Amino acid sequence: MGSTGTFQGARVVVTGAAGGIGAALARRFAAEGARVAVNDLDPARVRAVAEDIGAVPVPGDASAVVEEARDALGGAVDVYCANAGLASPGDAAAGEEVWSAAWDVNVMAHVRAARVLLPDWLERGSGRFVSTVSAAGLLTMVGAAPYSVTKHGAYAFAEWLSLTYRHRGLKVHAICPQGVRTDMLAAAGSAGELVLAPTAVEPGDVADALFAGMAEDRFLILPHPEVAGYYRARAAEPERWLGGMNRVQRTWEATGR
């Protein structure tokens, strides 16, 4: 599956697919001829998406969906899109339940999916794991410590999967957009309005970026290309980068948060 033309008949699972990026990914895979299973916590919304694009609805917790989705697709999965996520705003004082939920959805759901999928993928020498991370996983996000920390974890896990199994046929892609016009952006509140909204793209733009990246077998998918420059600056000049981000923090505080 080195190019988009090979997704005809591919068996694809997309979590968090009731709207936003997940729905856009599911729609694009279906348009490419894939057999798609869509997952989300909201049964009515995920069934509506499934009906619209000719997919199979598999409602429920993303952490426990793999085996049911695999059965619904005839016993195998070729592409798994770990897209479900929690925005999780808050600072270091955020409650244990906030941190635990963010860790469970943003990181451990990916780990649990890989745990189920890897034996078959490694045996047949092919498989594709798509992780919807966020630019916050490469950089950070003001006002959202649980989100920033767990998205770093999601990126680290995708990176580890790629470096560990690429010679055995596993292709991994980490999607790291900045603002995307979804319910999650709306939930980001004033911090999202300040940092993300000005350059926000549509969910379909994220799907386009993923398919362009898959055609080139690229690990890092940047719907906002400028993120590459920010990432380089963060690594090369961390003090300067942190100072710049602190100015964003102070601007946010001055607007009343």
Side-chain angles (χ1 to χ4, degrees), residues 124-218:
R124 58 186 166 108
S126 68
R128 198 180 292 266
F129 191 94
V130 179
S131 176
T132 300
V133 178
S134 165
L138 297 175
L139 306 169
T140 193
M141 178 60 192
V142 298
Y147 182 73
S148 297
V149 171
T150 55
K151 286 298 186 177
H152 273 69
Y155 182 78
F157 184 63
E159 197 172 51
W160 184 88
L161 284 176
S162 182
L163 69 89
T164 303
Y165 298 116
R166 60 172 46 205
H167 66 293
R168 298 183 64 182
L170 178 63
K171 300 181 187 301
V172 183
H173 309 279
I175 310 174
C176 297
Q178 291 194 112
V180 182
R181 295 186 184 98
T182 66
D183 292 343
M184 187 174 285
L185 176 58
S190 58
E193 284 294 318
L194 174 66
V195 178
L196 302 176
T199 60
V201 298
E202 296 297 332
D205 297 323
V206 178
D208 289 345
L210 172 63
F211 271 73
M214 289 192 298
E216 299 174 0
D217 283 338
R218 275 190 283 113

Side-chain angles (χ1 to χ4, degrees), residues 7-24:
F7 289 105
Q8 181 71 40
R11 294 153 296 189
V12 179
V13 179
V14 184
T15 66
I21 294 173

Side-chain angles (χ1 to χ4, degrees), residues 64-147:
V65 73
V66 182
E67 292 178 347
E68 184 180 352
R70 184 170 59 190
D71 290 344
L73 292 173
V77 173
D78 300 305
V79 182
Y80 188 87
C81 298
N83 174 77
L86 288 179
S88 305
D91 57 20
E96 289 287 327
E97 70 284 357
V98 175
W99 284 94
S100 178
W103 182 255
D104 195 64
V105 175
N106 293 345
V107 181
M108 291 309 299
H110 298 202
V111 175
R112 293 175 187 127
R115 188 181 295 151
V116 176
L117 293 164
L118 279 170
D120 179 57
W121 284 352
L122 298 179
E123 181 178 350
R124 58 186 166 108
S126 68
R128 198 180 292 266
F129 191 94
V130 179
S131 176
T132 300
V133 178
S134 165
L138 297 175
L139 306 169
T140 193
M141 178 60 192
V142 298
Y147 182 73

